[in-house]
Every structure is written in C-alpha cells, then in structure tokens.
C-alpha cells in the first residue's frame, strides 16, 4: 500500500500542557498531556528524517478576551466548557500561552495552522495544503484525544483522507473518553497504531510515498 | 433562553433498521435501532406541529455498487470494508435506502442525501439552516457514535448549538453509544431525553421559535392540481 501522509500535531501549546501555562495554573492535571512528549519528540524527528511534512495546530483566542466558542456564538454549552472559557485567558493569540511547548517547538520548515475551533479543517487553510502536496493521509497526534484530535480525524475521514492515529502520541485528561476515542477510530475510521508500530511500517517502506516538502528549498535559500 | 432549532433524524433507513433491510438480512442485531422508533415518532410529531423544520438524513450509495467510501480510502477498518464489500446497502432510490415506514417523512419535511458520515459534508444542509436562521440542531437517529456524533461535532465546529436526545439515538455498540453521549455532554452541548426536552419547552424554560414553512403551500397546491 502506498500512502502520502502528513504528520499532524494538535494543540501541544503551553496553555494546555506547558508547566506554568493556563491549565497548569488553574490546577488542572497536565500530566496526561506531558506524558506523550517523549513519544512526540521521537516521532517528529523520525518524520523529519524521511521528509514527511509536519503540521502543528494552535488553537487561539483573541486578546479582546472572548472568542468564537463562547456565548457570542453558542447558547447551549456544557457547564464545564462555559466555565473554562470564562475563567481563563487561555491561549490568547501571540502570547507564550498560545505557543507550542518548547520540547517540540516547530522548526522553520514546519507549517503552523491557527484555528479557532476544534477541527483543524474548520476555517483554516489545512485542506488547501493537503491538496497542493497531494497528501492523502493524515497521521494524528496531540491533545485532547476526544475533543480536537477526534473532531479533526472525523472531518478528515468525511473529506476522504486516510486516518492513522498514534495511540501513544495522543492524550486526554479524561482517560475513559481517550480510550473510547481510540476504539471508535479503530472501529469506524482508520488505523490506530503505537508510534513504534508506525515507524516499523514506514521503515519497511510498505506504507509510504514521500511528499517533497516545497517549503524547504525556499527556506534554505 | 430562546433558540431556533431544526430536528435532525439521521439515517433511519430500511437498510440499517428496517425489518428485512440489508443489516437485518445480514444477521446484524437491529434491535437497538428499532428500540428508539416510538420515541422518535413522538418527538417528530411534537416538533412538526410547532413548525420546527424536520430534516431526515439518508446515507446513499450508487447503484453501480461501490461508492465514495471505498473508492477514496486505502485505509478502512475491517468492519467497514466488510459491510461495503458484502452488502448492497442503501443503494440510491431503492427501498433499502428509504426512510422506515414508522416515521416516514411528510411532504413538508426535508430530506438530505449524504455520501459520508457527517450531514454537513457535501450537502445543502448548512444552506438550509442559514436560510431559516436556525441556530440549533436537535440530534436523533443512528448510529450514535458514527454518523450522529460526526454530524454533531461538525455542527459545533460550525457554531450551531447541539442538543442530543439520548433516547432517540442508538448504536449497535452499547459502550460506544455511552461514550458518545458522555463526549457530547462533556464538550459539545446538551444531552437529555426527549421527555426532558419537551418538559423544558412546555414550562418555557426553553423557548423555541418555529419557521414559516414555505413549501407547504407549494405542496398543497400540487396535490390539489
């Protein structure tokens, strides 16, 4: 099987999983998120090594305070979601809180997508990038498994892209919903693999055709 | 609180939940799907008389057999691949693809044909919502964790309020059905029973505005002529 994948890292931002970030300061456990950092580091450097395009997503809010996921758009919001939004200056655009954590900070050749909602496809240029590179597959990683990662993966499937999710590179604060997410992807949407299983598949070349990253030469020149 | 909702009934087709439909003939247990029919019927009737637009989604495939799922994907979970290869499931314009008799659409209802899981993907659904000024979607139908959940997530991403009726959605996978309801109520909207929603509306805790239903006169005049 020949696929043309991109590697997507969802919302690994200081505000969610950085020490001293918004979630951390609010006393939410960031441990489940931080636990995947070593696997992500390994995967990112592996993908870079074989020239698979790397995409980071950042969810951002306006510095004006409120944003597109509050009562300006939605009347019906779960209690905890409403509270989170009102109590925090979470991931405000262009702040440290919104930036990708240092451990896996993007390099100049990587692409960064800013999004205002859960899915990486919603109101972003992501699909245009995929089309220009001829990519047909997205390898999913990041957090939170059952919200942004899962919504992005479902959209990817709806739009006709192959879905691969790396079980040890996605994380949730809700362990049971994390597990449910992996089950649902495996049952209805695509492949769920560990990072090592993924590397093994890519190493024996049975599952790959590499996309030339168009931005590299531009950056070096 | 005041909302302007539409009621969405996802994929209640003979192929999935009809007696002698594709799933039934294939030996799948369709009981979980059929168990919600009475609740659905009650809910549809309740909203129809309040001029809330009723939408039925239908998942369809081409008569040539294959469709946009298998032609497009190289990586498909085994359970999906089997269904696609072994069944002539919900082929466009056949009985199998039609909505089950028990809750059959009235001429004033709307039907959205879709090729993928989400009701928003490549359909006119969002345009309808905008034309009504609808801001909320009440989700019902099947399968909870596949088409219903994907549609609800898209609705949220696009800025629509999400209400899911726990006794009007169903899955053949009980644990994923429960997980789906947990995820929606945790991150995306309200999960409640149909009676709870009706009660909220009856005691005016939740005000719903209906819409002028433009096709009614059209339908009646056609029938008369």
């Amino acid at each position: 099987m020949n696929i043309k994948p991109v590697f997507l890292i969802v919302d690994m931002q200081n505000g969610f999983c950085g020490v001293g970030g918004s979630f951390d300061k609010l006393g939410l456990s960031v441990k489940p998120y931080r636990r995947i950092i070593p696997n992500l580091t390994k995967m990112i450097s592996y993908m870079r090594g074989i020239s698979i395009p790397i995409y980071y997503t950042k969810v951002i809010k306006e510095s004006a305070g409120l944003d597109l996921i509050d009562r300006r758009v939605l009347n019906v919001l779960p209690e905890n979601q409403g509270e989170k939004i009102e109590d925090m200056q979470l991931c405000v655009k262009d702040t440290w809180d919104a930036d990708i954590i240092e451990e896996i900070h993007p390099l100049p050749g990587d692409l960064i997508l800013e999004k205002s909602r859960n899915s990486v496809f919603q109101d972003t240029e992501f699909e245009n990038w995929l089309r220009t590179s001829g990519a047909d597959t997205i390898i999913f990683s990041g957090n939170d498994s059952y919200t942004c990662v899962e919504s992005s993966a479902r959209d990817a499937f709806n739009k006709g892209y192959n879905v691969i999710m790396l079980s040890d590179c996605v994380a949730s604060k809700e362990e049971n919903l994390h597990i449910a997410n992996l089950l649902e992807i495996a049952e209805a949407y695509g492949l769920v693999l560990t990072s090592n299983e993924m590397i093994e598949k890519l190493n024996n070349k049975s599952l790959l055709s590499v996309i030339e990253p168009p931005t590299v030469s531009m950056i070096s020149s | 609180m005041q909302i302007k909702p539409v009621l969405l009934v996802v994929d209640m087709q003979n192929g999935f939940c009809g007696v002698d439909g594709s799933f039934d003939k294939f030996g799948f247990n369709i009981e979980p799907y059929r168990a919600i029919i009475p609740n659905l019927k009650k809910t549809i009737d309740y909203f129809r008389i309040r001029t809330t637009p009723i939408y039925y989604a239908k998942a369809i495939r081409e008569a040539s057999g294959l469709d946009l799922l298998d032609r497009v994907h190289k990586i498909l979970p085994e359970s999906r691949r089997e269904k696609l290869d072994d069944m002539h499931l919900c082929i466009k314009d056949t009985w199998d693809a039609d909505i089950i008799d028990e809750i059959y659409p009235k001429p004033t209802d709307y039907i959205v044909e879709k090729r993928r899981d989400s009701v928003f993907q490549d359909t006119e659904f969002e345009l309808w919502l905008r034309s009504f000024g609808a801001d909320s979607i009440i989700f019902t139908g099947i399968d909870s964790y596949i088409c219903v959940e994907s549609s609800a997530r898209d609705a949220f991403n696009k800025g629509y309020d999400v209400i899911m009726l726990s006794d009007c959605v169903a899955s053949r996978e009980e644990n994923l059905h429960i997980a789906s309801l947990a995820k929606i109520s945790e991150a995306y909207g309200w999960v409640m029973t149909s009676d709870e929603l009706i009660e909220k509306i009856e005691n005016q805790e939740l005000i719903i505005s209906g819409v002028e239903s433009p096709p009614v006169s059209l339908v009646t005049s056609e029938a008369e002529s």
Side-chain angles (χ1 to χ4, degrees), chain B residues 43-44 64 155 166 210:
Chain B
T43 306
I44 292 168
S64 55
S166 54

Side-chain angles (χ1 to χ4, degrees), chain A residues 102-178:
Chain A
E102 230 179 291
E103 293 89 336
I104 55 166
H105 206 267
L107 295 185
D110 301 334
L111 287 159
I112 298 168
L113 298 155
E114 294 194 335
K115 64 187 178 69
S116 306
R117 314 225 25 120
N118 285 187
S119 168
V120 64
F121 286 94
Q122 186 66 43
D123 311 324
T124 74
E125 67 280 19
F126 186 48
E127 197 168 11
N128 270 327
W129 283 122
L130 295 180
R131 270 195 255 137
T132 56
S133 58
D136 59 11
T137 304
I138 302 160
I139 302 167
F140 287 89
S141 69
N143 67 43
D144 189 295
S145 331
Y146 91 89
T147 48
C148 292
V149 179
E150 185 173 342
S151 277
S152 299
R154 283 171 181 265
D155 268 1
F157 181 84
N158 269 313
K159 290 167 193 297
Y161 295 96
N162 295 314
V163 170
I164 299 176
M165 193 168 289
L166 303 182
S167 55
D168 57 348
C169 294
V170 294
S172 175
K173 292 191 287 102
E174 306 285 338
E175 178 64 11
N176 55 334
L177 299 183
H178 169 75

Side-chain angles (χ1 to χ4, degrees), chain B residues 187-207:
Chain B
Y188 296 113
W190 288 349
V191 174
M192 54 182 68
T193 65
S194 50
D195 283 339
E196 283 166 349
L197 178 63
I198 288 170
E199 195 190 322
K200 254 184 198 297
I201 294 168
E202 288 299 311
N203 64 28
Q204 305 208 334
E205 204 182 315
L206 185 69
I207 316 276

Side-chain angles (χ1 to χ4, degrees), chain B residues 69-86:
Chain B
L69 278 183
D70 51 6
R71 293 265 170 103
V72 171
H73 289 279
K74 292 169 187 159
I75 296 173
L76 265 184
E78 205 54 32
S79 62
R80 279 229 190 207
R81 179 69 70 192
E82 272 172 17
K83 263 182 251 168
L84 292 170
D85 290 346
D86 300 345

Side-chain angles (χ1 to χ4, degrees), chain A residues 2 11 27 58 61 79 90 98 100 132 156 165 170 192 200:
Chain A
N2 218 12
D11 298 356
K58 280 164 49 163
K61 299 171 70 182
E79 201 54 32
L90 180 62
I100 308 290
T132 56
M165 193 168 289
V170 294
V192 175
E200 201 177 306

